[in-house]
Amino acid sequence: MNEPYYKAVQDFYTSDLKKPTQKERNVWPCHGRSISSSGVPFSCPQIFLCLSFLCLLGSLLGHPQCLDYGPPFQPPSALEFCSAYENFGCCDRERDDSIAAKYRDIMDYIDPRGHKLCGTYIKDILCQECSPYAAHLYDAENPWTPLRNLPGLCFDYCSEFYFNCRSALSLLMDDKHTPECCETNKTRFCNLLHLHDEDYCFPNVLKNTALNRNLGLVVEDGRGCLQLCLTEVANGLRNPVLMVHAKDHTHRMFVAEQLGIIWVYLPDGSRLEEPFLDIKSIVLATPWLGDERGFLGMAFHPQHKYNRKFYVYYSYMDKNRVEKIRISELKVLASDVNKADPLSERNLLELEEPAANHNGGQLLFGVDGYMYLFTGDGGKAGDPFGKFGNAQNKSALLGKVLRIDVDGKSPDGKPYRIPPDNPFVSDPTARPEVYAYGVRNMWRCAVDRGDPVTKKGRGRIFCGDVGQNRFEEIDIIVKGGNYGWRVKEGFECYDTKLCHNSSLDDILPIFAYGRNVGKSVTGGYVYRGCESPNLNGLYIFGDFMNGRLMALQEEEKANKWKKQDICIGSTKACAFPGMISSYSKFIISFAEDEAGELYFMSTSYPSAYAPHGSLYKFIDPARRAPPGKCKYKPVPVKTKSKRIPFLPRASKLLGFNEKQNI
């Protein structure tokens, strides 16, 4: 975060337009005088022209998508009727039963000979709602285009169906006045159902190996780049440095700006007008581009629901104009759960900062209930403090991972206890708070929740440690571990003299990358959410300087981590309503919400006073969880402050407002 000049490089695309209802979208093909969503009547030939155009558009957007505009999913239980899609598609058991009931209703009107001739055709056509390509088959990828009554059928199949079963058209199209243009003209009818891209028409779509080979897996492009999408959750933020939740089942999100203001975002996407906490008058922050000082860390007490406590980490200047880091405890007002009490602040620890950079800033609670604090090495370059630098000096608190017990006091008067199993409690040359050392400037660390089923990986702490001038690294924190700085940077020697005498027991990164990849790592999270099951176990992180998003996949047998790039919106994969295909370049931080879904914060202009920061949520466009699996009911909270509805940035740029409907 030390570059002299930054600029905005990315635009957003999204829409706040109200989705039309099914009734508004329906266009019944060939109904003599059909009514469009705008209420304008038009005739059969006009529909033909309309649908021909839409088919051409659809071929450009074709990708796995359901009629509700979401990605396909794996049904939680087997489908009995549309069994061709029981492993992956767009129907759960409830929808499958509904289609089966519709099939039975139709067949009740067909004679025994028609049963034999048409039964399979009618079943196959009805079951296309369950196809992973249902949206493409029904021209539903864009919510503002007319929805087909029947799916796109390949011409030969359509001709056979028409020859054998045209008497069933009115039943399938749910209309008792099927016009002569469809009943008497096979070519016109099949042209209406024609898809421009014949790979996607039924039944060809089932036979296309290119479309179905990796169906349901995270999409990769030719370079192996994972194709993910985003939704914008918040914008207009001034260098958003973190987002945390209170683990109190309210599913509120607390977003902090670098200048010292914390905002409350509610589950409905709105923000409270009054901040949760405003200590900008105390926090040391400047408008300088890339200034690393400011409000840097926040964590809620594991028992916050009962004790109302939370903790903050920020830069400030004391009365003697000495720059320091302060870690303190505050409480939420008993009268308003959305407001902190600034008068409740209790200082836990203050550290003098010898330079303006490398301030660390992460606070988190481990699964052991203790607080972990991540400090920088003191700044400047090369950790020039003392004989070995701050990071290797266990009697200094800079360049360390500290672990303390905030639920007590030490015999020597410190406002916290030392956990009895801290690794250096018996070492008279070390500070007892030290849990690990040899770190340069760990920027963003996170606790792994563990696999949702097996809990494997639970409790691991991942960190991104910003390098000097050669390597950025990702580490897993180990009790008593020495992470090498300033002896090593990444896997390589930094101080050659110290490196020759270094211990072979130093903890090596799980991954490191050079300047050809990026210049300033931003640590992320292991995805353990519900909505995007393909992402489970991926450690997702980024680079602040170049905006690169990356993922690490653990290969246990080889004892290594495989890195893949993440590409946002580089293909048609993100052509879903509400998803966006670009983001602001400078990746400041990552976060997870109370449900475990993954987010990141970035800005187009990294100044603590510039309102160009946004919060984004990751979405896997290839597969989602089955409908209903990820539903949760937030505990309601009383709000005394006005709610400000979220307005996507693209809508602001276009001048849309909340009341506008098209």
Side-chain angles (χ1 to χ4, degrees):
M1 297 172 71
N2 297 318
E3 292 292 303
Y5 177 73
Y6 302 99
K7 65 187 181 70
V9 295
Q10 301 276 7
D11 290 325
F12 291 84
Y13 167 76
T14 189
S15 174
D16 70 332
L17 302 180
K18 172 179 171 284
K19 289 180 183 176
T21 64
Q22 183 80 12
K23 184 177 180 181
E24 289 170 334
R25 297 180 69 247
N26 273 342
V27 171
W28 305 105
C30 290
H31 284 188
R33 291 188 60 79
S34 298
I35 304 297
S36 73
S37 59
S38 63
V40 178
F42 48 76
S43 63
C44 183
Q46 289 173 299
I47 299 174
F48 173 76
L49 293 173
C50 174
L51 291 181
S52 297
F53 168 75
L54 293 173
C55 292
L56 178 61
L57 178 65
S59 69
L60 302 176
L61 298 175
H63 57 280
Q65 184 179 340
C66 301
L67 292 179
D68 63 357
Y69 315 112
F73 53 88
Q74 181 179 344
S77 58
L79 307 184
E80 292 189 352
F81 186 70
C82 299
S83 55
Y85 305 106
E86 65 180 359
N87 294 321
F88 191 70
C90 292
C91 289
D92 57 11
R93 184 65 176 272
E94 182 181 359
R95 186 61 193 149
D96 183 60
D97 290 344
S98 175
I99 293 172
K102 184 174 182 179
Y103 171 80
R104 290 191 295 269
D105 288 345
I106 290 173
M107 300 309 289
D108 283 344
Y109 289 93
I110 297 178
D111 60 33
R113 182 174 176 273
H115 273 251
K116 187 175 180 180
L117 282 174
C118 302
T120 300
Y121 286 110
I122 292 172
K123 177 182 177 180
D124 286 345
I125 289 171
L126 291 175
C127 283
Q128 292 319 294
E129 287 187 38
C130 299
S131 167
Y133 292 98
H136 193 68
L137 289 165
Y138 284 89
D139 281 331
E141 286 159 317
N142 183 335
W144 292 99
T145 60
L147 180 68
R148 289 173 176 266
N149 222 201
L150 296 177
L153 304 179
C154 301
F155 194 87
D156 290 345
Y157 179 90
C158 178
S159 298
E160 293 174 9
F161 165 66
Y162 186 90
F163 178 78
N164 291 300
C165 308
R166 65 185 179 193
S167 61
L169 286 179
S170 61
L171 299 171
L172 275 170
M173 295 165 67
D174 202 21
D175 184 73
K176 301 188 184 304
H177 304 287
T178 307
E180 291 183 6
C181 66
C182 287
E183 284 190 333
T184 61
N185 191 321
K186 179 195 72 175
T187 301
R188 176 170 290 179
F189 173 74
C190 289
N191 279 337
L192 283 168
L193 297 186
H194 172 73
L195 290 180
H196 181 77
D197 187 341
E198 294 188 2
D199 286 336
Y200 286 92
C201 64
F202 179 81
N204 288 2
V205 68
L206 296 179
K207 305 171 186 176
N208 191 312
T209 55
L211 290 176
N212 295 288
R213 185 185 301 116
N214 296 312
L215 193 62
L217 301 179
V218 178
V219 179
E220 298 182 20
D221 66 11
R223 299 166 297 146
C225 193
L226 302 179
Q227 306 292 308
L228 298 182
C229 304
L230 303 173
T231 56
E232 188 186 35
V233 178
N235 53 40
L237 294 161
R238 292 162 292 190
N239 266 20
V241 292
L242 61 88
M243 183 194 93
V244 294
H245 61 86
K247 204 175 181 180
D248 59 0
H249 305 295
T250 64
H251 291 266
R252 291 171 297 163
M253 300 188 298
F254 298 80
V255 179
E257 296 176 316
Q258 188 177 352
L259 76 168
I261 299 177
I262 304 170
W263 302 101
V264 179
Y265 286 82
L266 302 175
D268 65 1
S270 63
R271 174 178 66 82
L272 295 184
E273 185 176 44
E274 296 181 13
F276 174 73
L277 179 66
D278 183 349
I279 54 171
K280 64 180 180 293
S281 60
I282 304 171
V283 171
L284 175 59
T286 74
W288 303 341
L289 294 179
D291 193 335
E292 298 176 23
R293 297 168 296 180
F295 188 96
L296 303 175
M298 177 183 178
F300 284 93
H301 192 285
Q303 299 299 316
H304 169 78
K305 183 178 178 180
Y306 307 103
N307 62 24
R308 310 196 321 274
K309 294 179 181 179
F310 69 98
Y311 301 85
V312 295
Y313 183 127
Y314 60 90
S315 310
Y316 87 105
M317 187 175 290
D318 71 12
K319 60 183 179 181
N320 297 317
R321 302 197 64 76
V322 175
E323 292 187 15
K324 292 182 177 180
I325 287 294
R326 175 182 284 167
I327 295 97
S328 58
E329 175 189 277
L330 293 96
K331 283 189 173 184
V332 174
L333 288 171
S335 59
D336 188 349
V337 295
N338 295 307
K339 294 285 286 186
D341 179 4
L343 300 179
S344 67
E345 185 170 18
R346 179 174 73 98
N347 289 354
L348 297 181
L349 184 64
E350 292 193 354
L351 304 174
E352 186 173 330
E353 281 286 351
N357 58 340
H358 301 183
N359 303 298
Q362 184 70 51
L363 291 180
L364 59 82
F365 282 90
V367 295
D368 53 15
Y370 295 130
M371 179 191 280
Y372 291 75
L373 306 86
F374 300 79
T375 63
D377 66 5
K380 297 188 177 179
D383 194 4
F385 308 102
K387 186 176 181 180
F388 306 109
N390 280 325
Q392 290 296 317
N393 179 6
K394 293 195 288 289
S395 67
L397 294 182
L398 295 175
K400 305 294 188 299
V401 180
L402 310 178
R403 184 172 76 151
I404 62 174
D405 181 356
V406 297
D407 294 322
K409 296 182 179 179
S410 298
D412 60 2
K414 292 188 180 77
Y416 53 83
R417 276 197 296 255
I418 303 297
D421 63 337
N422 267 13
F424 304 110
V425 290
S426 301
D427 184 347
T429 65
R431 290 288 296 266
E433 294 93 339
V434 175
Y435 186 79
Y437 64 107
V439 305
R440 185 175 178 272
N441 189 40
M442 286 185 164
W443 183 246
R444 291 312 175 231
C445 304
V447 180
D448 184 359
R449 294 184 179 209
D451 183 270
V453 177
T454 68
K455 301 303 178 186
K456 189 172 184 179
R458 182 176 180 269
R460 296 181 296 181
I461 299 176
F462 289 76
C463 291
D465 198 4
V466 180
Q468 179 63 49
N469 49 31
R470 293 182 65 198
F471 298 102
E472 308 297 308
E473 65 184 67
I474 301 295
D475 299 300
I476 296 179
I477 303 304
V478 176
K479 179 180 176 180
N482 180 0
Y483 289 83
W485 177 250
R486 74 180 191 199
V487 179
K488 294 176 181 175
E489 182 183 9
F491 294 101
E492 306 293 332
C493 289
Y494 176 79
D495 187 317
T496 53
K497 185 181 291 187
L498 292 176
C499 199
H500 289 311
N501 300 318
S502 66
S503 169
L504 295 176
D505 295 328
D506 289 353
I507 306 298
L508 296 176
I510 63 169
F511 177 72
Y513 63 89
R515 287 298 183 266
N516 61 320
V517 176
K519 296 182 179 180
S520 182
V521 67
T522 299
Y525 280 77
V526 178
Y527 180 84
R528 300 297 189 186
C530 174
E531 295 176 10
S532 298
N534 280 337
L535 305 185
N536 181 40
L538 283 182
Y539 176 74
I540 296 178
F541 65 106
D543 190 273
F544 171 79
M545 289 299 298
N546 65 9
R548 197 167 191 163
L549 289 164
M550 295 166 275
L552 297 180
Q553 177 72 61
E554 186 174 13
E555 297 179 342
E556 291 187 67
K557 291 183 179 179
N559 194 29
K560 65 179 183 180
W561 293 73
K562 176 188 175 184
K563 173 252 179 184
Q564 288 182 277
D565 284 321
I566 293 173
C567 299
I568 301 294
S570 57
T571 70
K572 60 191 176 187
C574 294
F576 289 83
M579 292 189 189
I580 57 173
S581 54
S582 63
Y583 58 93
S584 295
K585 175 182 176 181
F586 300 100
I587 300 172
I588 301 172
S589 191
F590 288 78
E592 66 177 5
D593 63 20
E594 195 166 356
E597 300 307 320
L598 189 58
Y599 302 72
F600 73 94
M601 287 144 278
S602 66
T603 183
S604 60
Y605 191 80
S607 163
Y609 286 80
H612 301 304
S614 294
L615 173 65
Y616 306 98
K617 180 181 179 181
F618 285 101
I619 303 289
D620 175 15
R623 178 188 171 197
R624 59 172 158 162
K629 182 178 180 180
C630 303
K631 286 185 178 179
Y632 54 84
K633 189 175 181 180
V635 173
V637 294
K638 293 182 179 179
T639 56
K640 299 183 178 181
S641 175
K642 178 183 175 183
R643 299 186 184 205
I644 301 176
F646 170 64
L647 189 62
R649 183 181 171 206
S651 299
K652 293 178 181 178
L653 294 175
L654 293 170
F656 293 137
N657 61 59
E658 301 153 23
K659 297 180 180 179
Q660 184 171 10
N661 290 319
I662 291 181

